[in-house]
Amino acid sequence: YYITNNLRLVMSKGSKIVVKDYLDRDEFDLSLQSLTNSTLPVKDLAANKKGKKLDLSKNQITVLPDNFVFSMGHLVKLDLSANGLRVLPDNFGNLALLQHLDLFNNKLTVLPVGFYKLKLLKWLDVKENPLEYPGQEVAGLCRNDTECKTCALQVSDFMKKENAEQEKKKQKELELKRAKKEALKRELERLEELENEEKKRIRQEGKAKEKAKRRAEFEKKQSQEQIKEESQKSTPPTIPVKHSSRSLPDLNRICLMSALVLFVVAVTLALLVKPDFGDQYVGLTTVTADVLKSVGDAFSPVATTLNSHLLTHAPNIQKSIVSTGELLREMLEICGDTVKLGYELAIQELSQFSTYIQKTSS
């Protein structure tokens, strides 16, 4: 046995291990091969499913490779004693078919809670390890086969309880997170609702202000219209006055022409009816001029009275009408003078015409 182990040691140092050469029935014996974390032939071991037992004792493995548990799920027995292992992977419990586990003389302080999954584990040796979790009171002394079986049972039960506690703790943490999330959601909803209410209140206030503004403008407009109506009722309507664009010389010429035309027509008719009319023309001139003067004198007090009333009730209109009255009175005076002058000129012409007719008749 001693010679065989030394031969294995020499061969492992000089060449690559051929895994199938170390298979005896269903067990791989790779103990004393100076295997390390990086030289452990996990891939070759996993390729041969016949090897359900694996002895890796007395090597230099401090940490199992990441693919070890995933690849060696078919193992029922595993010997990792005297390797200097510091930690086992958290998924170690996935070696669900494992029944026999030897961890003697390593540097483990903690066993993973995943041991609760090793439901088929019947033998466990963890002595000569500085275990803190679980403690020595759980693992026991493992001094013989019976104590190792007890160790497997007690560690498995302990890990089941620990897993249940951890699950409860995780559940509580999850519920707490969920509750915080729900509380945060409710708070956000509340804040959003408050924000919407504030926006609604601002809109309503804006509408109310706009409505009040329109109402004030409407009332102001109504008040102005009412004041305007009352002012119109209390103030007489303004009579537009048209001012003549003609100048006084134009009016004089018109009056003179009118008087001459009327006078010629009247004298002509008189001569046709009464040939001796020429001797009686002087009285007609005097009467016509007196009538025009009387009309002007009669209009003067009427214009003065009208001026007084307009000055009291409608001063703006009064100015236009008074100026018109004065113009009319002046026109009448001019017309009287014009008629008198027209008669005198006409008499001279008629006298000459009468003399010519008498000479012709004789």
Side-chain angles (χ1 to χ4, degrees), residues 151-210:
C151 177
L153 180 61
Q154 290 180 349
V155 169
S156 180
D157 291 340
F158 176 81
M159 291 303 180
K160 288 179 181 178
K161 293 178 182 179
E162 285 296 307
N163 178 69
E165 291 294 328
Q166 289 185 6
E167 288 297 324
K168 287 181 181 179
K169 186 177 180 180
K170 289 180 181 179
Q171 187 65 26
K172 287 181 180 180
E173 291 177 354
L174 183 62
E175 291 177 356
L176 182 61
K177 289 182 180 179
R178 189 181 294 115
K180 288 182 178 179
K181 186 177 180 180
E182 291 294 329
L184 180 61
K185 181 180 179 181
R186 288 194 298 269
E187 182 65 15
L188 292 176
E189 290 176 352
R190 186 184 69 83
L191 292 176
E192 184 178 0
E193 185 177 357
L194 290 176
E195 184 179 0
N196 292 334
E197 290 178 357
E198 182 66 16
K199 290 180 179 179
K200 183 178 179 180
R201 184 185 65 80
I202 292 174
R203 287 197 300 270
Q204 290 178 349
E205 288 182 356
K207 289 181 180 179
K209 289 180 180 178
E210 184 67 22

Side-chain angles (χ1 to χ4, degrees), residues 254-279:
I254 292 172
C255 292
L256 178 60
M257 292 174 64
S258 300
L260 287 174
V261 171
L262 291 174
F263 180 75
V264 170
V265 172
V267 171
T268 303
L269 291 175
L271 289 173
L272 293 175
V273 175
K274 194 175 181 179
D276 59 350
F277 176 73
D279 298 332

Side-chain angles (χ1 to χ4, degrees), residues 3-19 21-22 28-37 39-41 45 54-61 82-83:
I3 295 173
T4 304
N5 287 340
N6 286 338
L7 181 60
R8 289 179 178 178
L9 181 59
V10 172
M11 291 177 62
S12 64
K13 291 182 178 180
S15 60
K16 183 179 178 181
I17 295 177
V18 181
V19 173
D21 294 339
Y22 297 90
F28 284 109
D29 186 2
L30 293 177
S31 62
L32 294 170
Q33 298 300 313
S34 299
L35 297 174
T36 63
N37 304 339
T39 60
L40 182 62
L45 292 171
L54 177 60
D55 185 359
L56 294 174
S57 62
K58 301 175 180 66
N59 281 291
Q60 301 172 14
I61 303 170
N83 264 286

